[in-house]
Amino acid sequence: MLSQSRLTFVFLAAAVAWASAQHAPPWTEDCRKSTYPPSGPTYRGPVPWYTINLDLPPYKRWHELMADKGPMLKIIMNSMKNMVNTFVPSGKVMQMVDQKLPDLLGQFSGPYEEEMKGIADVTEIPLGEIISFNIFYELFTLCTSIITEDKKGHLLHVRNMDFGIFLGWNINNNTWVVTEQLKPLSVNLDFQRNNKTVFKATSFAGYVGMLTGFKPGKFSLSLNERFSMNGGYLGLLEWIMGKKDATWIGFITRSVLENGTSYEEVKNILAKTKLLAPAYFILGGNQSGEGCVITRERKDSLDVYELDPKQGRWYVVQTNYDRWKNPLFLDDRRTPAQTCLKRTTQESLSFATLYDILSTKPVLNKLTVFTTLMDVTKNRYESYLRDCPDPCVGW
């Protein structure tokens, strides 16, 4: 076994290598052009569409989707179990998840508990594991979200979903294990009531919260993880201990997508509701100036940073770091995204030019699962599975 000093040296050497890769070709590149419509080695394929019928009882809403995606969900759950069992070989952790987690977490608000029970039954995966899969996203997402406003006041909202850091690295093909397993679970969802669209979202089959979506004609929303000492682990512990006055971030995102009626209403809800975990909410509307990043602690908002095109602020970019702080030197996606936006110019904003930006390394990286493009006023919603072939930075 390596001594502690040698392990430290290996870790530091790896950190320096990643840091160097963040700022040097071929792991970074000049702003990409002509990548849209998607094609080539960075494009895995389209994200498939499914309809979720909100008129059905919550228990039955996900049955059709999970009949298709259940086998793939079992694969990723087995990967998670193997990782846990690597650290606790006795299997007692997963035994507790299967047998104790539903009782420890108690009842969830709204339809979410019944929906997770329905998913568990149709996939024959224990309810505790389905709950853990839903908790998963409160803790491990890395993302890039952008809202832009052109010279005519037209808004676009785009994002890269990056997920799976430190959850298993495949040395045979230089990919994150969980990132690759999430790609076939990625789905576009058309939530309908009375055969009419209520909202659209891109998510992972088995997850009942939402991380990315829009309400046609009203607003768009994406969720990025925020690292904080007062983080989601503390919120989860409080919930287990019986203090259930906070809202799960994936559930509040879904709630406002389903029930919200305007940009201002949703902004107020996201800024003031007590949360289980810190987060960044990136919210776009349907009028000039309606775009913001809400920086959240669990109990209150630290900042609401809005578009202000009259003052030259025609875009907002959010990764996983507070805007008033420098990004972690190992993980600067903000600077390349801003650089490419400035080169694009406000006059040339479109799905095509923004997809180019999200295709530029390291904004595109080994963790990127999918890219979503949203145009609220034109009711355009597109999502694409991504790849980042070598050489490509790990995050």
Side-chain angles (χ1 to χ4, degrees), residues 130-355:
I130 297 298
I131 292 173
S132 69
F133 185 70
N134 279 262
I135 293 171
F136 204 42
Y137 298 98
E138 306 279 320
L139 306 173
F140 287 104
T141 48
L142 295 174
C143 309
T144 300
S145 294
I146 301 171
I147 297 177
T148 63
E149 179 175 328
D150 68 14
K151 290 286 189 179
K152 298 179 181 179
H154 187 75
L155 301 173
L156 296 175
H157 186 164
V158 301
R159 75 114 91 243
N160 272 357
M161 169 59 74
D162 300 344
F163 192 91
I165 191 167
F166 303 135
L167 295 176
W169 179 259
N170 187 330
I171 60 174
N172 294 318
N173 57 16
N174 292 331
T175 60
W176 293 103
V177 173
V178 169
T179 303
E180 292 303 300
Q181 292 175 347
L182 282 172
K183 292 177 184 179
L185 281 175
S186 300
V187 287
N188 285 324
L189 302 172
D190 185 349
F191 286 80
Q192 296 187 359
R193 188 174 284 118
N194 297 322
N195 294 318
K196 294 182 179 179
T197 296
V198 178
F199 70 95
K200 296 179 180 180
T202 308
S203 190
F204 302 114
Y207 180 65
V208 301
M210 295 296 129
L211 304 173
T212 309
F214 84 167
K215 196 154 199 169
K218 300 293 184 180
F219 60 88
S220 55
L221 179 60
S222 58
L223 170 67
N224 289 15
E225 184 177 357
R226 178 171 179 265
F227 305 111
S228 173
M229 293 301 293
N230 184 20
Y233 296 99
L234 290 176
L236 179 59
L237 181 60
E238 286 183 0
W239 186 280
I240 291 173
M241 298 300 290
K243 189 177 181 181
K244 295 180 170 61
D245 60 340
T247 303
W248 296 74
I249 52 175
F251 294 167
I252 191 173
T253 304
R254 174 171 163 187
S255 176
V256 296
L257 283 166
E258 186 171 344
N259 303 304
T261 59
S262 70
Y263 170 84
E264 288 296 334
E265 177 197 23
V266 172
K267 183 173 71 171
N268 185 60
I269 292 171
L270 296 178
K272 295 181 179 180
T273 303
K274 185 177 179 181
L275 304 175
L276 200 74
Y280 301 103
F281 295 112
I282 301 88
L283 177 67
N286 58 14
Q287 300 180 47
S288 177
E290 288 190 343
C292 68
V293 176
I294 304 169
T295 301
R296 283 298 312 266
E297 285 283 14
R298 291 170 51 216
K299 296 182 180 179
D300 51 25
S301 295
L302 296 181
D303 183 56
V304 179
Y305 187 66
E306 301 196 75
L307 291 172
D308 190 352
K310 293 180 180 179
Q311 298 299 319
R313 192 187 305 153
W314 51 271
Y315 66 82
V316 291
V317 175
Q318 183 59 51
T319 57
N320 301 97
Y321 306 96
D322 297 340
R323 67 176 182 86
W324 55 91
K325 298 178 181 178
N326 291 328
L328 181 67
F329 72 101
L330 292 169
D331 180 32
D332 185 6
R333 289 162 282 128
R334 180 202 297 167
T335 300
Q338 291 176 331
T339 298
C340 293
L341 279 163
K342 291 172 184 175
R343 291 185 185 177
T344 299
T345 75
Q346 192 179 9
E347 290 79 7
S348 301
L349 296 170
S350 65
F351 270 16
T353 56
L354 293 178
Y355 188 87

Side-chain angles (χ1 to χ4, degrees), residues 1-12:
M1 292 181 65
L2 290 173
S3 67
Q4 183 174 352
S5 60
R6 289 185 65 194
L7 282 171
T8 302
F9 174 79
V10 169
F11 174 79
L12 290 174

